[in-house]
Amino acid sequence: GKATSSTSSKSSSSSEALSGKVTAVGSTALQPLAAKAGANFQAKNSKVNLTVQGGGSGTGLSQVQAGAVSIGNSDIFAEEKEGIKADKLTDHKVAVVGMAPVVNKDAGIKNLKMAQVKQIFTGKITNWKEVGGKDQKIVIINRAQGSGTRATFENAVLKGATAVKSQEQDSNGAVQKIVATTPGAISYLAFSYFTNKLQAVSIDNVTPTDNNVESNKWKIWSYEHMYTKGTPDKAVAAFLKYMDSKTVQDSLVKDMGYISIHDMKVTKDAKGTVTQN
Amino acid sequence: MLKQYSFEETAVQTFDEKTSLAMKTENLQVFYGANHAMHDADLAFPKNQITALIGASGSGKSTYLRSLNRMNDGIATVTGKIWYHNVDINEPTVNIYEIRRHIGMVFQRPNPFAKSIRENIVYALRANGLKNKAELEERVEKSLRGAALWDEVKDSLDKSALSLSGGQQQRLCIARSIAMEPDVLLLDEPCSALDPISTVKVEETLLELQKKYSIIIVTHNMQQAARVSSQCAFFHLGHVMEYTPTGTMFSNPQIPVTQDYIAGSFG
Amino acid sequence: MLKQYSFEETAVQTFDEKTSLAMKTENLQVFYGANHAMHDADLAFPKNQITALIGASGSGKSTYLRSLNRMNDGIATVTGKIWYHNVDINEPTVNIYEIRRHIGMVFQRPNPFAKSIRENIVYALRANGLKNKAELEERVEKSLRGAALWDEVKDSLDKSALSLSGGQQQRLCIARSIAMEPDVLLLDEPCSALDPISTVKVEETLLELQKKYSIIIVTHNMQQAARVSSQCAFFHLGHVMEYTPTGTMFSNPQIPVTQDYIAGSFG
Amino acid sequence: MEQTNFQLKKQKSQSNDWSARLHHATRATREDWMGKGISYLCIGVIILVVASMLWFITSKGVATFTQNHVSLTKFLFGTNWAPDQGHIGALPMIVGSFAVTFAAAIVATPFAVGTAIFMTEISPNKGRKLLQPVIELLVGIPSVVYGFIGLAVVVPFMRHVVGGSGFGIISATFVLFVMVLPTITSMTVDSLRAVPRHFKEASLALGATRWQTVSRVILRSATPGILTAVIFGMARAFGEALAVQMVIGNAAIMPKNLISPASTLTSQLTTGIGDTIDGTLPNNALWSLALILLLMSLFFNALVRVIAKRGQLKHER
Amino acid sequence: MNAKRTDFLATVVINLIVATVVGILVFLLAYILISGLPHVSWSFLTGTTDAFSGAGGIGVQLFNSFYLLVLTMLISVPISLGAGIYLAEYAKDNWRTSLIRSAIEVLSSLPSVVVGLFGFLLFVVKFKIGFSVISGAIALTFFNLPLLTRNIEESLSAVSRSQREAGLSLGLSKWKTEIGIILPVALPGIVTGIVLSAGRVFGEAAALIYTAGQSAPVTNFGDWNPMDPASPLNPFRPAETLAVHIWKVNTEGLANNAAQLSAAASAVLIIAVLLFNLGARLLGNFLYRRVTASK
Ligand SMILES: Nc1ncnc2c1ncn2[C@@H]1O[C@H](COP(=O)(O)OP(=O)(O)OP(=O)(O)O)[C@@H](O)[C@H]1O
Ligand SMILES: Nc1ncnc2c1ncn2[C@@H]1O[C@H](COP(=O)(O)OP(=O)(O)OP(=O)(O)O)[C@@H](O)[C@H]1O
Ligand SMILES: [Mg+2]
Ligand SMILES: [Mg+2]
């Protein structure tokens, strides 16, 4: 996919006459941000009919590919999804999400080595005492296969190894709840889902913070994408532009726990290769 | 112990040319699937008289009666001819709705609609295109008077028909039928669910009605047949065994099976 | 038109000391909620005889009969005394299961269980603790013979009872009752659902059974009452109006209401 | 004829020709045509819906085998479910679905039958006034709410009592038990009520006790009805998605015991469908799961029919 | 006596079972209401949800639930009425009818996820209607049809044959008899069935997640033109219902009071279903009295 980096950051003032239909479908992780930004956008452009819906990254990508919707929201690169012809789609990165392992507080774990995390999720380590925690069985909570969060996590941590079969939850909320209440549980969550009821784990003594993501010191992160097909019509283009604007990137994105695309000091491509900006 | 009666030995009267007939069946047979419930019934019904059909339970009285206005359509197979105004109304091309308008029927258990008394009578009239209010009102009164019910209900025409007593309900059903101004009225044990007082009232009504209508009535009650009918047909196991003037049937039955039935020593 | 009969004018016979009685009721009254369905019935039933209860529909025959073995428990309120072997079995302390074993009942509609013919008879015996196979077999044969059914079913005891004809089913129900070796047999219109042939067979069975049992039978059919019973009670609107030997009742009824009912000019 | 008829004008002119009069189509005839038309149309819509549903799900469901050339045995008996990597062994889900379904039915049936007996034989009055509404209410509680309670009450309870995460077959069984209980109960009540009153009277008249009558006569003759009720309950359990998904743990592994997390066909389906691409193996594989669900509901249906036939035969023979 | 003791024992066991069942229901209701009701307020009932956290009121969802319900009923009642009349009146007892009955049974026993996914595939994806009220209503119709049809057929068939014969013997057409005479008598039963199925539709989530969608865009409650995109009546807008909302808050909710939110929403949902139940009884009784008794 071609990554278009928008340059203009001012929302155009000629939007009075703007009208049309914008439908953004897909990633549930991106849905709240898109919905909120969409609402703001529509407040300014009342003639535009903008709807944001969930359904999952797969739905978003396949719908935009089929031309059923104008924007397909996705947590992962189109290239990573089997059955999607990525070269037919245009990628618009609108935010960055950092993720980190989270464990139940009772386990007594605050920091792990990257290799240890890998061994835990591949089933090589099964008790917390092996990594310096309590004598307690490790309960792995995975995300559903095909979920963007899981793809990102496995790309960054497992690097091709196969995760051990375990419980799978299809939502951040469920993971959050289960890890908080189940002794010995470990999973992974986007930063915005951290609560004081669970312990976010540092890896190799790097803490999961926005700053560390921006400099790629923290390796587990991904983009939030909005894909379009062909030439977007005026309304869609305006909305995408608005998403990239300072109004959204500097306030909304940060307020909602995402990382602004403008703040990134590195770029990652679909194969995971990171280059300094 | 139980006598076997021959189905060959029957005594069925016919009528001469001069008697004007309301209806007539020829060779009427009825089958419920494989069950041959009615064999070869040849009966003629004189106009403006009451004909009674009697016989033991299961002998086919209802089966025969229901065939006369095609109420057996879709339930039983009916073969043979049913003459009405020189039309064989047992033909499939006949408009059964018209037939039923001309040949009304009243059932064993009173079955008024769950509507007001007035609506019970007006409903079918309206469905048949009579819209004029005054005329409808007139019909309501006329038919209720005809069924000897008017005086009892004239002040409560808007009450539910279901609030009437059994006997009143049955007379309402009769009223509902005669409101359609039929030619022939078929009644299937109209009094069997009624108390004695109501029975008497219905019988009086029938005697009155025969002036205008031809009536065929099924009854279990021989006394009733004796009281109201001019002629009487005796059914036995799906066969018409005897059809004679009522006087003859009760005082001088023609064949053994009828004799035994009338004497009550049947079986 | 309908005569009003006085409930004061009754003719109810009593029996002298020498007659040995199977059962007797004193002052029996039955209420369905507020509906007073049975007034003050005082009847005595001689041993080894058939007593018939007759009367119009709704006159309370079934109500009375069902009280005799407490089948009305939980359905109606029954007051008064029911004497059986000098025990008032209408008292709440009495074991109703024992009563029903001694006072059997056969219903209007044949109601065999959906089990084999044998099982129908064996069921209650086994429930009452009889386990011995040989003895059970013996009882099956004896009771089926008693009900005049043995010859017809002896080769198919394992067939479903529901495959029998109505008359056979009813005799099976009688067999099922007498297998319990009761004292008294109550029958509520046992023939009303049956064809004439079956009716005759059941009547013959009853005449045979009275040698061993005391029988009380409700019937709508006066001919039947005349054929089988020794004495006859006439019920009218919840009152026992006349209770006399059957011969007397049919040839020389004592009071107007019975006269009219017997003459069929009732109402 | 002398009588004044009020028929339509058209017919008035021919009122002396009885043959024409009795053969002519009238308003009633036309009404009947219209009525037939309307009702046939409606039933047609339903048939169309069913047919297209069967067609869509079947054609999508078999794509796994026809397009992706997965072998049927691998699908039915394989235990490795990782569609992203091309492994699609559905056995864990099949086993999971059957396990929770049977477990729930086994637990629920005695409760349902007991309650039904109470409602029909022991205390019909209380049955109608108190239990009937209770049962109807239980039916009416939405499955998300059951899931919510399962998550908030049952899972922590199980974690406390039997250990582990609390998610698993036993929690799902418990939630499903409560969910199918009203279904089985109300249908059992119907079938007990349908036992002819004279069966009961016959037994009582022979001196049998209430329990003897119930256990040997009433339950016996209501058996087909009760079996049908249980199967309907199982069908509901088999197809229930959200409540189960919320408590079972969704682990596509062969359940080792009752407390280990498992997954069912429905839970895997709801979890995965949004993240797959139409036409790819992972998507097709999910539709194959849906196909199994469809086939199972056909199977349950056929079973009910067979039982009904058997029951009828027993009564006729 | 042995038999008597067994009888007593059985009675005790059955009473225990019943007590357990009643206990379960009481616990369920009490739990939901006690944990939820304290958080229900007017602003909760009418407020809008924060798209990001799921926190906030459920006004839109409540409206969506009712709107979807009305739409579903508008589609499914007429169809099931026609189909019910067909089965009660016109269907002959042959293999074709039994095939039709099987088809209806199959539809009724299909898991609602499957129905939902079918709706997703057909309406949302194939017909490109997108997540919308109308897609949801059609999916709900699918799973409502068999229940309603069966209920209507049963209610119609329960009306005594003699009423039908009364109509037919007066020369009324079958259709007129069915509509004018049988239907009014059967109405109480039918209405009860409709209201009860309304309760089920109201609480359904699985079939809606992928048809009506999981988002509740704030609509303009001042605009009642169904054609306007912002109108709440626009059938082509996505509409998260209350039941879906509960599911989502439970599984995805970010708000730190997610537990209270879903408890409160559950309480509202339960009360709505309770009201439907109660309404069904009252309305059924009322109609029954009206039809049978005076007037
Ligand atoms: N709908 C039906 N389907 C099958 N058989 C029937 C049906 N109606 C009646 N029969 C059978 O036809 C025979 C005659 O029945 P019918 O009802 O005509 O008798 P009936 O003389 O009217 O008796 P009753 O005095 O009891 O009303 C009986 O054997 C009966 O079982
Ligand atoms: N279970 C019941 N509940 C309320 N009332 C009843 C009940 N059974 C009978 N009755 C009423 O008691 C009265 C007598 O009825 P019963 O059945 O004893 O009459 P019957 O003489 O047996 O009539 P039939 O000859 O019709 O069987 C009737 O008015 C009837 O309506
Ligand atoms: Mg008859
Ligand atoms: Mg009686």
Side-chain angles (χ1 to χ4, degrees), chain C residues 32 35 37 55-64 75 108 188-189 220:
Chain C
Y32 292 109
N35 175 8
S57 190
S59 57
K61 305 179 298 292
S62 303
T63 300
Y64 179 78
I75 299 172
Q108 180 166 8
D188 192 353
E189 302 188 31
H220 254 303

Side-chain angles (χ1 to χ4, degrees), chain A residues 25 28 31-33 35-36 49 51-55 59 63 66-68 170-174 176-177 192-193 197 256 258, chain E residues 50-53 120 124-125 128 130-132 210 214-215 217 229-230 236-238 247-254 256 258:
Chain A
V25 168
T28 43
Q31 188 188 347
L33 173 64
K36 195 104 183 185
N49 170 20
T51 50
V52 177
Q53 304 173 9
T59 309
Q63 295 256 69
D170 70 335
S171 65
N172 292 307
Q176 190 188 43
K177 229 170 269 161
S192 52
Y193 286 86
K197 289 185 199 134
M256 301 181 77
Y258 301 89
Chain E
D50 177 50
F52 182 63
S53 63
F120 169 68
V124 178
V125 179
K128 306 204 162 113
F131 296 109
S132 61
Y210 288 108
Q214 309 170 33
S215 57
F236 296 105
R237 67 186 174 86
W247 175 78
K248 224 179 86 185
V249 168
N250 257 308
T251 52
E252 199 81 60
L254 261 181
N256 40 18

Side-chain angles (χ1 to χ4, degrees), chain B residues 32 35 37 55-64 75 108 188-189 220:
Chain B
Y32 292 109
N35 176 8
S57 190
S59 57
K61 306 179 297 293
S62 303
T63 300
Y64 178 77
I75 299 172
Q108 180 165 8
D188 192 353
E189 304 187 30
H220 255 302

